[in-house]
Amino acid sequence: MKNHTLTTVGLLCGAAAMTLIGLPEQLSAREGSISFEKDILPVLDRSCGECHSAQENFSNLRLDTLEDILKGGDLGKVLEPGNPDESSLYVRVSLPQDDLDFMPVEGEPLSEDEVETLRQWIEQGADFGGWTGDS
């Protein structure tokens, strides 16, 4: 009985510690449905927005509206819902950093967790929820 109580207390303390440092949020994104606005859009804004927005649209690619993401750019579509390996949006951020096609060209690359979240979001069907990006 005493060991059971200690185990329960240990599990509760571990869960509380994970809550404080934000791990359950990361784990829930990996285990469940990924929110475009919460999990993907902030990464796109931070890592892609400088070159692929209304202000700058290198390769005629904008990633700031649903219509533009689905349209793609000069090199074609960047998103194939359900198929991350055919989605250059995922492929380019997951390449080795010394690859000429690696994105982003400037700034911080996506973290491993961000790349994995993007992969899973695409694999899950790339659901944008109600987001359109239109103001």
Side-chain angles (χ1 to χ4, degrees):
M1 179 80 158
K2 189 175 187 179
N3 286 340
H4 177 70
T5 302
L6 289 175
T7 301
T8 302
V9 169
L11 289 173
L12 291 173
C13 288
M18 282 195 275
T19 299
L20 289 174
I21 60 175
L23 289 178
E25 188 174 307
Q26 292 173 351
L27 293 175
S28 67
R30 286 190 166 188
E31 293 171 359
S33 181
I34 296 170
S35 163
F36 176 79
E37 287 189 76
K38 181 177 166 245
D39 301 313
I40 304 299
L41 184 58
V43 174
L44 293 181
D45 283 345
R46 184 193 81 237
S47 298
C48 311
E50 199 170 308
C51 297
H52 300 290
S53 67
Q55 292 75 31
E56 292 286 339
N57 56 0
F58 290 105
S59 298
N60 289 313
L61 175 62
R62 288 180 53 184
L63 300 174
D64 58 342
T65 71
L66 174 60
E67 180 182 354
D68 288 313
I69 292 172
L70 296 177
K71 180 174 66 173
D74 289 345
L75 300 176
K77 291 176 68 175
V78 296
L79 183 63
E80 291 292 335
N83 195 344
D85 293 331
E86 296 296 321
S87 299
S88 64
L89 184 63
Y90 164 74
V91 171
R92 287 179 177 253
V93 299
S94 62
L95 292 169
Q97 289 185 31
D98 61 352
D99 191 295
L100 293 175
D101 289 330
F102 175 78
M103 292 290 161
V105 173
E106 297 177 2
E108 285 292 312
L110 277 64
S111 71
E112 288 181 24
D113 283 343
E114 290 169 334
V115 171
E116 177 60 15
T117 300
L118 179 62
R119 185 194 68 74
Q120 288 187 5
W121 174 72
I122 295 169
E123 191 171 74
Q124 292 174 5
D127 181 10
F128 289 86
W131 182 85
T132 62
D134 300 321
S135 298

